[in-house]
């Protein structure tokens, strides 16, 4: 049995989420959602879910001016119980003989209860005071009440002194000790009321007619008259048999812990939630109450409207339970004492877990090209949270935003189903083609479901498949002009998921990046086009005429990897091509073409009749001949006013008597003919004019670039790149610099470093600064002199005069023995000199050495520029920063 405080706390958890789904129906009252009803010897107070939703409930008893909070222990001791379903419908039961009840002569009973409803965080409190008066008479000699959390026996007179509990062994307690232990004992005007919670130390379990029961038995001793009254209660804790459709509850007809003689049953009543049902209502609900020799039997159909269903997901599998609370009320008379006993049991029953695996119904109409899925059936307390597809998980909101149209369908009995529509075209739908024209659409998914209010998740997988002959195949069209083939490939419904093959140089080859570039491929989302010159390797020559050639290009579209042929096109066209040119000076040029019928012909081996006359040029497709008409075995024939010159291009062993034709020897013969008129005169004229001046080159203007780099060593073989900085260096460790003129090969230009200096900041004019090179020479006042390094030509350096190299020792700026800033920037002014005019600074690096004072100028003076003509060729280059950390130094160009 659930204890009172746990029930109240549980209500808070359940009603907080109850607004998310439909709950079972319950009786509503116009009194703010509260309804009270007197049910014999108990009062039932119903708190509707519409009042309790989102709130925490606590109950106090009102006893005059006193307000007594009912804890779970006190509730069982004083005859109060509470029942709440998962959706916040709450019922409070109170015994008429309970504590804090205004009892008038055991006939009229007045209750006062305060219901305290707390909002979020217990910050807002709403109170409902309920007062209800019930009348009850006549009382049976003994009344036994079995509620959820206590057993109650009511007999007669007063003045309790002590109590002996039979467990079944006797155990004596004073009244105060019994009350302290959790028992309820009180005397009304006509009744002795003894109340015990379940599972107490002094209660015990027995089996009566096969039904487990919990028993408490007590002898009460009165202070006056040495009266002893025996009281007992025995309540069933089992006796329920479940089938798929019916709940059968057995209660022993003769409860031996309560009577030692035979009894006569005077009344039998069945009810729900403590309220009796008449025969008409029982028949309408198909309830049955029967009496056998050994049992009172109640049968309740699973799913009757007085109970409710609840979803569960143990081990991620969907199950349901059904809960109903029948009441059995008996009145019997003992034959040996003729005393009447009214016996009432309120007995909540929940079925075992019943598996209800959901069903996936495929309502897909293939012609609509949309998967239409129905999932169900579920109870009202199941929510669809998300759907897992092959590549991602989408919430219901995301599915609807994607156009999947997820819907929830409710039915009159409170159940629901879910539906989703997924277009075949969505990328989450898998596709495959069993043949070129058919597409099979496959949609595996997992529904992510949640049982409320428990927040218990469970999945349900589904797989759907549909096929349609809906593939539109790609097509090839082509045309020709005087020079090229033009092909256009229009994509089908599956876009470009095919390979384009070309018959290229006699073998099939994929239209890859190389061929696409060669044949000027262009395209968009619907098609692509290529242009193939008729002389390209993809064009096969079929036939050669005097003024034209017939060429052919073959294209094939293949679906991979099934190697299905989707479309093909073999396009042949005639193109203008002159194969023989006859010139007036007696020279002839002839072009021999390798045609498809002699695919193994090598044009290089073709000759004229005189086999010493070979091609002037040849490749794998053509042989070009140029010869005089009076050479290479050319024959001459006269016809009236015409001279005919003829020769023949063939393989050497195909001419005359030297034929050695074999089974793989190609046949090739190309006749050359030239016709000349015997009497023909052509006059030509020309005129020449002398030049007035010699040609000269125009002067040009351009830019020269000088860069400074930091070498990784004295060999100047490797240099630090931009991603290497900052570079770690130690104090006084050499730094090797190279200044180079870029993009010039003029040997008449020489680079001269005029001035180089170091600063703390990127600004080359910032102060303080330290001179490294002054007027092309090292600073003589520097403790560690700058060192110039020679440059010789090698594979990288073509003009050594374009490069200057120097090194310095790593240092840092200090002031009053403190480091000013842990970084350095190095700057240089380079002069580009004309080596044919050495003068001043252009006389060479450090050609005129001068002596300078210490160049460290913290207050600063800006360097001026030398007044030489070379200043107009001056280039500036800077590097930095150099960072110094502890004993380490970092350099960045």
């Amino acid at each position: 049995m659930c204890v009172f405080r746990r029930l109240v706390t549980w209500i808070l958890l359940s009603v907080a989420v109850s607004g998310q789904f439909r709950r079972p129906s319950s009786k509503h009252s116009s009194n703010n959602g509260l309804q009270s009803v007197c049910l014999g010897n108990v009062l039932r107070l119903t708190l509707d879910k519409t009042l309790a939703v989102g709130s925490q409930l606590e109950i106090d008893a009102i006893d005059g001016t006193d307000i007594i909070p009912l804890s779970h222990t006190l509730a069982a001791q004083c005859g109060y119980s509470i029942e709440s379903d998962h959706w916040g419908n709450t019922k409070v039961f109170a015994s008429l003989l309970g504590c804090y009840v205004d009892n008038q002569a055991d006939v009229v009973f007045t209750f006062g209860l305060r219901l305290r409803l707390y909002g979020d965080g217990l910050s807002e409190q709403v109170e409902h005071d309920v007062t209800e008066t019930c009348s009850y008479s006549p009382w049976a000699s003994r009344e036994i009440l079995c509620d959820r959390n206590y057993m109650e026996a009511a007999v007669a007179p007063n003045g309790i002194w002590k109590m002996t509990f039979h467990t079944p062994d006797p155990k004596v307690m004073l009244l105060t000790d019994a009350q302290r232990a959790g028992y309820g004992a009180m005397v009304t005007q006509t009744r002795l009321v003894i109340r015990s919670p379940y599972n107490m130390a002094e209660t015990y379990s027995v089996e009566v007619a096969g039904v487990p029961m919990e028993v408490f038995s007590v002898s009460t001793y009165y202070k006056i008259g040495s009266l002893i009254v025996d009281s007992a209660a025995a309540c069933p804790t089992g006796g329920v048999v479940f089938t798929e459709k019916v709940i059968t509850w057995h209660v022993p007809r003769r409860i031996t812990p309560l009577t030692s003689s035979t009894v006569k049953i005077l009344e039998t009543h069945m009810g729900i939630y403590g309220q009796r049902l008449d025969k008409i209502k029982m028949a309408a609900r198909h309830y049955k109450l029967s009496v056998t020799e050994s049992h009172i039997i109640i049968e309740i159909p699973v799913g009757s409207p007085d109970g409710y269903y609840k979803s569960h997901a143990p081990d991620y599998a969907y199950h349901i339970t059904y809960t109903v609370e029948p009441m059995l009320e008996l009145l019997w008379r003992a034959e040996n004492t003729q005393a009447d006993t009214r016996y009432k049991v309120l007995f909540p029953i929940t079925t075992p877990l019943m598996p209800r695996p959901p069903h996936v119904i495929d309502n897909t109409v293939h012609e609509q090209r949309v998967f239409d899925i129905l999932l169900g059936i579920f109870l009202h307390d199941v929510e669809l949270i998300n759907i897992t597809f092959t590549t991602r998980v989408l919430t219901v909101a995301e599915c609807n935003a994607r156009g999947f149209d997820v819907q929830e369908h409710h039915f009159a009995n409170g159940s629901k189903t879910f539906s989703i529509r997924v277009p075949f075209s969505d990328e989450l739908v898998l596709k495959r083609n069993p043949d070129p024209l058919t597409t099979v659409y496959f949609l595996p998914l997992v529904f992510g479901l949640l049982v409320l209010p428990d927040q218990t998740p469970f999945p349900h997988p589904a797989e759907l498949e549909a096929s349609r002959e809906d593939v539109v195949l790609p097509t090839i069209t082509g045309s020709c002009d005087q020079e090229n083939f033009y092909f256009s490939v229009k994509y089908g419904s599956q876009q470009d998921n095919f390979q384009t093959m070309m018959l290229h140089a006699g073998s099939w080859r994929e239209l890859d990046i190389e061929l696409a570039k060669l044949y000027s491929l262009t395209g968009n989302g619907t098609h692509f086009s290529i242009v193939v010159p008729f002389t390209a390797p993809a064009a096969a020559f079929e036939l050669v005429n005097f003024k034209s050639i017939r060429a052919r290009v073959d294209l094939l579209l293949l679906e991979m990897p099934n190697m299905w042929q989707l479309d093909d096109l073999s396009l042949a066209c005639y193109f203008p091509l002159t194969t023989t040119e006859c010139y007036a000076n007696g020279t002839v040029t002839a072009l021999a073409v390798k045609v498809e019928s002699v695919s193994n012909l090598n044009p290089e081996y073709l000759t004229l009749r005189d086999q010493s006359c070979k091609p002037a040029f040849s490749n794998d497709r053509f042989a070009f001949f140029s010869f005089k008409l009076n050479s290479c075995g050319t024959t001459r024939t006269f016809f009236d006013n015409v001279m005919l010159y003829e020769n023949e291009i063939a393989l050497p062993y195909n001419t005359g008597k030297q034929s050695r034709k074999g089974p793989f020897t190609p046949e090739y013969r190309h006749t050359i003919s030239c016709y000349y008129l015997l009497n023909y005169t052509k006059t030509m004229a020309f005129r020449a004019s002398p030049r007035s001046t010699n040609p000269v080159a125009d002067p040009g203007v351009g830019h020269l670039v000088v860069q400074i780099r930091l070498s990784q060593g004295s060999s100047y073989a490797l240099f630090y790149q931009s991603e290497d900085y900052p570079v770690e260096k130690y104090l006084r460790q050499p730094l090797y610099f190279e200044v180079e003129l870029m993009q010039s090969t003029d040997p008449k230009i020489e680079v001269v470093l005029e001035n180089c200096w170091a600063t703390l900041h990127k600004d080359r004019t910032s102060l303080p600064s330290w001179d490294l090179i002054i007027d092309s020479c090292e600073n003589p006042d520097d403790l560690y002199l700058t060192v110039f390094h020679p440059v010789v030509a090698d594979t990288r350096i073509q003009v050594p005069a374009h490069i200057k190299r120097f090194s310095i020792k790593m240092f840092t700026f200090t002031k009053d023995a403190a480091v000013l800033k842990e970084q350095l920037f190095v700057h240089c002014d380079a002069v580009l000199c004309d080596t044919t005019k050495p003068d001043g600074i252009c006389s060479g690096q450090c050609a005129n050495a001068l002596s300078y004072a210490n160049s460290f100028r913290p207050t600063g003076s800006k360097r001026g520029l030398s007044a030489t003509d070379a200043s107009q060729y001056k280039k500036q280059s800077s590097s930095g920063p150099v960072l110094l950390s502890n004993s380490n130094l970092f350099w960045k160009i």
Side-chain angles (χ1 to χ4, degrees), residues 27-40 42-48 90-94 96 109-113 115 129-134 273 275:
K27 245 179 153 182
H28 290 268
S29 171
S30 60
N31 184 19
N32 298 325
L34 294 171
Q35 181 186 30
S36 58
V37 60
C38 300
L39 304 173
V42 295
L43 167 72
R44 186 184 72 193
L45 175 65
T46 300
L47 179 67
D48 191 77
T90 304
K91 296 178 178 65
V92 179
F93 294 86
L96 298 188
F109 306 87
T110 302
F111 293 83
L113 294 175
L115 308 181
D129 288 349
V130 179
T131 302
E132 183 63 43
T133 300
C134 295
Y273 290 111
Q275 186 168 11

Side-chain angles (χ1 to χ4, degrees), residues 841-852:
I841 195 72
C842 289
S843 298
Q845 191 72 50
C846 201
N848 300 305
L850 298 176
S851 177
Y852 292 88

Side-chain angles (χ1 to χ4, degrees), residues 423-488:
F424 289 179
S425 58
D426 194 276
E427 64 177 8
L428 296 178
V429 177
L430 305 180
K431 306 172 183 67
R432 62 181 180 87
N433 299 99
D435 58 69
L437 296 176
T438 304
T439 304
V440 175
Y441 300 91
F442 182 59
L443 180 62
L445 44 80
V446 178
F447 294 94
L449 301 148
L450 193 68
V451 176
L452 300 174
D454 319 61
Q455 304 290 321
T456 305
F458 69 98
H460 189 77
E463 291 184 354
L464 292 96
E465 185 175 294
S467 61
R468 279 179 53 82
E469 288 191 3
D470 57 357
V471 179
V472 178
L473 298 179
T475 56
I476 311 172
T477 57
S479 62
C480 305
D481 62 10
Q482 297 294 302
E483 297 179 352
N484 301 303
F485 292 91
Y486 297 91
F487 292 97
S488 178

